Amino acid sequence: MNFLIKILYLISKMPLKILYVFSDIIFFLNYNIVGYRKKIITQNLKNSFPEKTPKEIAAIRKKFYQNFSDYLVETIKSFTMSETETKVRMQHINQHVFREAKEEGKNIILLAGHVFNWEWMNTLATIVPQSSCHPVYRKVNSTFWEDQMKKVRSKFGNTALEANEVIMHILRNKNNGGSIYLFVADQTPHSSHVNYGLEFLNQRTPAFIGYDKLATRMDLAFIYSDMKKVKRGHYQINYYRMEPDGDKFVTNEVVKKFHQLLENTIKKRPDNYLWSHRKWKYQDSIKTFDSEKL
């Protein structure tokens, strides 16, 4: 395992222009020979975009494989990527929403989806007025990859938190505008925890709702991250404050608003979403389904 770590870190130190050669090779093998989760990707796209022709679905799928290959090498690059390079490659727009939350004395829940490349968001911690930034990570079967993801998400002054401990951390932490918690919020809950679902991308979708409990219990600022791939190796994030329709968020309101914003992001650039994950595998386990259209 130590040998593998050394190899990955050596690869990580290569310039991105060289790593993208590896990405091209991965794409060729994956798209033309291996066909990684091709059936799942195709079915997810068909279900999400029933109005698109088979030719259009195939074109999105091909671009997805290209972006996914870039994501893999960019993730390895993030092991050793400097703060300066990350800032050059990741542009953060509408930073005023962070200053406003700080002035209001409200901690921030930052919600993002599995849109490429969410792993490069970490330098946000170096440009916002908040003193504490906490990217949330999820335990995985591989101890090696969990350790690496924790290290990556703890760079640049961040302090990563495991998903099972973050809610308690937020409740215990003083709500004074000094903290940001970053959730990749379109996670698929385990079948035993699928309590709520909604229609998202034309499908019954189990929704992770942990942050919704915070929205109705605490006076926090909720911000959406609209990720855009400008060109290879360069991304832009537009940040938008999510506001309740009334005086405060009601149950499941922030969940619906997040999925609506994420759906808009995906529809604009469908090849940038992680179609290979099994987001809809537990849709039959939904206990309470919200049939209201987003």
Side-chain angles (χ1 to χ4, degrees), residues 231-266:
K231 61 180 180 179
R232 200 174 209 184
H234 292 268
Y235 297 86
Q236 181 184 92
I237 311 176
N238 279 274
Y239 296 101
Y240 299 100
R241 183 78 172 261
M242 300 167 64
E243 301 285 2
D245 292 336
D247 294 333
K248 61 180 182 179
F249 286 110
V250 297
T251 302
N252 297 324
E253 183 182 2
V254 72
V255 179
K256 289 191 282 188
K257 287 182 179 293
F258 164 70
H259 280 86
Q260 184 177 46
L261 289 165
L262 179 58
E263 184 170 297
N264 291 338
T265 296
I266 294 169

Side-chain angles (χ1 to χ4, degrees), residues 52-61:
K52 293 189 182 297
T53 66
K55 185 177 181 180
E56 289 173 321
I57 294 295
I60 295 171
R61 184 179 62 212

Side-chain angles (χ1 to χ4, degrees), residues 85-139:
E85 185 174 5
T86 308
K87 282 183 174 179
V88 169
R89 295 184 176 278
M90 182 66 75
Q91 186 180 16
H92 301 272
I93 309 298
N94 297 336
Q95 296 180 31
H96 65 89
V97 296
F98 300 100
R99 294 192 296 272
E100 290 170 356
K102 175 72 171 179
E103 291 168 1
E104 294 169 14
K106 297 179 180 180
N107 289 344
I108 293 171
I109 304 297
L110 191 61
L111 302 177
H114 281 96
V115 179
F116 300 126
N117 186 343
W118 67 92
E119 294 293 353
W120 279 11
M121 294 179 66
N122 285 4
T123 49
L124 178 66
T126 68
I127 59 176
V128 294
Q130 284 73 18
S131 57
S132 301
C133 289
H134 301 283
V136 180
Y137 71 95
R138 206 175 192 183
K139 285 188 178 294

Side-chain angles (χ1 to χ4, degrees), residues 198-209:
L198 73 176
E199 186 169 317
F200 171 69
L201 291 171
N202 296 299
Q203 299 169 79
R204 291 170 57 92
T205 305
F208 169 70
I209 59 173

Side-chain angles (χ1 to χ4, degrees), residues 60-102:
I60 295 171
R61 184 179 62 212
K62 183 176 182 179
K63 288 182 180 179
F64 160 76
Y65 274 114
Q66 292 171 329
N67 289 327
F68 181 68
S69 300
D70 282 354
Y71 160 74
L72 293 176
V73 300
E74 287 170 359
T75 299
I76 293 174
K77 181 63 180 176
S78 65
F79 292 176
T80 59
M81 199 170 181
S82 70
E83 179 182 324
T84 300
E85 185 174 5
T86 308
K87 282 183 174 179
V88 169
R89 295 184 176 278
M90 182 66 75
Q91 186 180 16
H92 301 272
I93 309 298
N94 297 336
Q95 296 180 31
H96 65 89
V97 296
F98 300 100
R99 294 192 296 272
E100 290 170 356
K102 175 72 171 179

Side-chain angles (χ1 to χ4, degrees), residues 107-109 119 122 132-140 146-147 149-155 157-173 179-184 187 208 214:
N107 289 344
I108 293 171
I109 304 297
E119 294 293 353
N122 285 4
S132 301
C133 289
H134 301 283
V136 180
Y137 71 95
R138 206 175 192 183
K139 285 188 178 294
V140 294
E146 181 179 331
D147 289 344
M149 287 301 95
K150 185 176 181 179
K151 288 178 182 177
V152 167
R153 295 187 184 185
S154 294
K155 291 178 65 176
N158 290 283
T159 302
L161 295 172
E162 203 279 320
N164 289 329
E165 64 185 12
V166 66
I167 300 298
M168 189 58 65
H169 190 283
I170 294 171
L171 293 173
R172 290 176 176 173
N173 189 24
S179 299
I180 299 176
Y181 297 87
L182 170 57
F183 288 78
V184 181
Q187 299 281 359
F208 169 70
L214 298 169

